[in-house]
């Protein structure tokens, strides 16, 4: 339990979010809490560039259908409006191919590749996916505010939970990462 508590505290400190459920007397079998690694996100305020290490299948969560260990919107990358965004995609999953694209926050979720919400905001091989340890950089300008999803375009993956959130905000000056309430991590 001590281990779980310290991970929970780390997450709360890293995100400023409310304490996760594990602190409130749930059993030790509660789904492990995925910490946010601050090294995933780099901000260059001179060039106004947010660079995020986007890792498909970082953990075994959800049959590895996750980004950075988060599924179903459990992690949110927020970037200032007008910034350049670089998503350094890497597939860490030894089994399945994965891809990524930025899409509008729509429900129901797409069942496969759709047009990206920003020009060129997608990896190559969107439908087939990139195989284990392949990489591709997604580069786009976050020139429209709002709520978006970072979504795996391989058919079925996104709808099965392989997506996190991207917020583009006109009222912040630096990008940041936060665990999202309600996300199944
Ligand atoms: Cu995938």
């Amino acid at each position: 339990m001590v281990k779980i508590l310290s991970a929970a505290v780390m997450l709360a400190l890293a995100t400023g979010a409310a304490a996760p459920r594990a602190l409130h007397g749930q059993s030790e079998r509660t789904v492990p809490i995925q910490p946010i690694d601050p090294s995933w996100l780099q901000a260059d305020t001179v060039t106004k560039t947010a660079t995020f290490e986007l890792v498909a299948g970082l953990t075994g969560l959800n049959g590895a259908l996750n980004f950075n260990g988060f599924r179903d919107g459990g992690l949110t990358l927020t970037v200032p409006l007008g910034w350049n965004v670089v998503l350094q995609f890497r597939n860490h999953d030894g089994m399945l191919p994965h891809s990524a694209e930025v899409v509008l926050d729509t429900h129901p979720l797409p069942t496969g590749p759709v047009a990206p919400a920003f020009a060129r905001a997608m990896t190559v091989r969107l439908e087939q996916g990139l195989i284990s340890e392949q990489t591709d950089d997604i580069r786009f300008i976050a020139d429209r505010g709002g709520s978006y999803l970072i979504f795996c375009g391989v058919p079925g993956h996104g709808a099965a939970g392989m997506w996190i959130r991207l917020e583009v905000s006109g009222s912040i000056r630096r990008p940041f990462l936060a665990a999202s309430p309600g996300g199944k991590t």
Side-chain angles (χ1 to χ4, degrees):
M1 193 61 193
V2 170
K3 209 167 185 181
I4 291 173
L5 280 173
S6 62
V9 169
M10 267 176 58
L11 181 67
L13 287 174
T15 63
R21 282 174 164 225
L23 286 177
H24 298 293
Q26 299 226 337
S27 83
E28 292 183 35
R29 291 197 182 159
T30 305
V31 176
I33 296 154
Q34 172 69 39
I36 292 174
D37 184 338
S39 74
W40 289 340
L41 177 63
Q42 313 233 311
D44 185 331
T45 53
V46 176
T47 61
K48 295 192 170 171
T49 303
T51 303
F52 177 59
E53 200 180 316
L54 177 66
V55 185
L58 179 65
T59 67
L61 178 80
N62 196 29
L65 299 183
N66 65 75
F67 286 114
N68 297 53
F70 292 85
R71 61 175 292 189
D72 288 297
L75 179 68
T76 301
L77 168 64
T78 305
V79 301
L81 180 64
W83 273 45
N84 303 292
V85 179
V86 183
L87 303 178
Q88 295 179 319
F89 175 93
R90 176 167 64 90
N91 184 6
H92 185 71
D93 185 351
M95 302 287 287
L96 295 172
H98 299 289
S99 64
E101 63 170 331
V102 178
V103 301
L104 293 171
D105 185 2
T106 56
H107 288 93
L109 294 165
T111 54
V114 294
F118 299 94
R120 295 177 299 283
M122 58 190 197
T123 60
V124 294
R125 303 174 62 82
L126 195 52
E127 181 151 20
Q128 313 92 302
L130 290 91
I131 62 167
S132 186
E133 294 308 326
Q134 278 191 317
T135 61
D136 188 35
D137 284 359
I138 301 173
R139 293 171 186 274
F140 65 97
I141 299 169
D143 54 6
R144 211 156 9 92
S147 299
Y148 305 91
L149 314 180
I150 300 172
F151 182 86
C152 180
V154 175
H157 288 195
M162 193 166 183
W163 58 278
I164 57 175
R165 292 186 179 279
L166 172 73
E167 292 283 331
V168 179
S169 168
S171 57
I172 58 163
R173 305 186 68 163
R174 288 183 70 88
F176 62 92
L177 283 170
S180 326
K184 296 175 217 162
T185 60

